[in-house]
Amino acid sequence: MAQAHPSSNKAQSHVAKSGLAFLAGVVTTVFAAIGAVNSAVPAVSNIGTVVLKALNIPACLSYADTFGGTQSSFRREGQIWHEYPRNAEAFSYEFKEIRRTPEEILLLNVTSRPDVPDAASLIVHLPVCGGAAFLTEGRPERSTNLEQVWPERQGV
């Protein structure tokens, strides 16, 4: 029976140590990558927000034509938005959409309101993804909280 050469045992030992070092390096790299991904999630989320804003897309990914509220609802009907009192079939006020951003839809009052001195400057701010609607009016501009509203989407 032939005996192993002493230099071949040394080579095998060196290969085994190299393999273990390589395996330890791979495991360390994998765990470092997992840690990096976990700490980068907020950064990726911020990048997503920046991209959505640049593309004029709201965080909720779409714009609605109807918003339900705690006191009334707002519905886009053709080129005009109407405000309906809760559970009513006839609208109370009409608005023209003047601006749309990923955060809000701005509606300018077009209804005659003799009892409201600043009716011509009255603007309703609808939060695109839901939240607190408010109105602004007058010079200097004054803000009034209206109600909580939420977008009503088709097929949801």
Side-chain angles (χ1 to χ4, degrees):
M1 185 185 265
Q3 286 194 331
H5 196 281
S7 65
S8 93
N9 283 340
K10 210 180 223 186
Q12 287 175 348
S13 174
H14 179 69
V15 169
K17 286 179 183 175
S18 296
L20 285 174
F22 176 76
L23 182 61
V26 168
V27 169
T28 302
T29 303
V30 167
F31 282 114
I34 290 170
V37 167
N38 284 339
S39 65
V41 167
V44 170
S45 176
N46 290 340
I47 290 169
T49 301
V50 169
V51 170
L52 289 175
K53 280 188 176 187
L55 297 173
N56 203 31
I57 299 172
C60 50
L61 303 178
S62 66
Y63 293 95
D65 289 334
T66 302
F67 288 81
T70 54
Q71 302 168 30
S72 63
S73 65
F74 293 85
R75 295 183 215 154
R76 181 175 164 189
E77 297 169 332
Q79 296 297 313
I80 297 292
W81 284 78
H82 292 119
E83 181 180 4
Y84 291 84
R86 204 75 182 138
N87 300 318
E89 292 185 26
F91 65 87
S92 299
Y93 304 107
E94 291 185 305
F95 302 89
K96 178 177 119 182
E97 184 176 319
I98 57 170
R99 186 163 186 227
R100 181 178 288 227
T101 71
E103 291 81 29
E104 66 182 355
I105 298 172
L106 302 179
L107 307 177
L108 176 65
N109 173 59
V110 294
T111 303
S112 175
R113 301 182 192 208
D115 56 327
V116 179
D118 294 317
S121 66
L122 190 147
I123 296 174
V124 172
H125 300 250
L126 294 177
V128 171
C129 297
F134 65 97
L135 67 83
T136 55
E137 62 183 321
R139 298 276 185 259
E141 191 173 78
R142 297 176 311 284
S143 178
T144 305
N145 291 332
L146 290 176
E147 61 182 312
Q148 291 293 313
V149 297
W150 50 92
E152 296 179 2
R153 304 199 192 292
Q154 299 296 325
V156 176

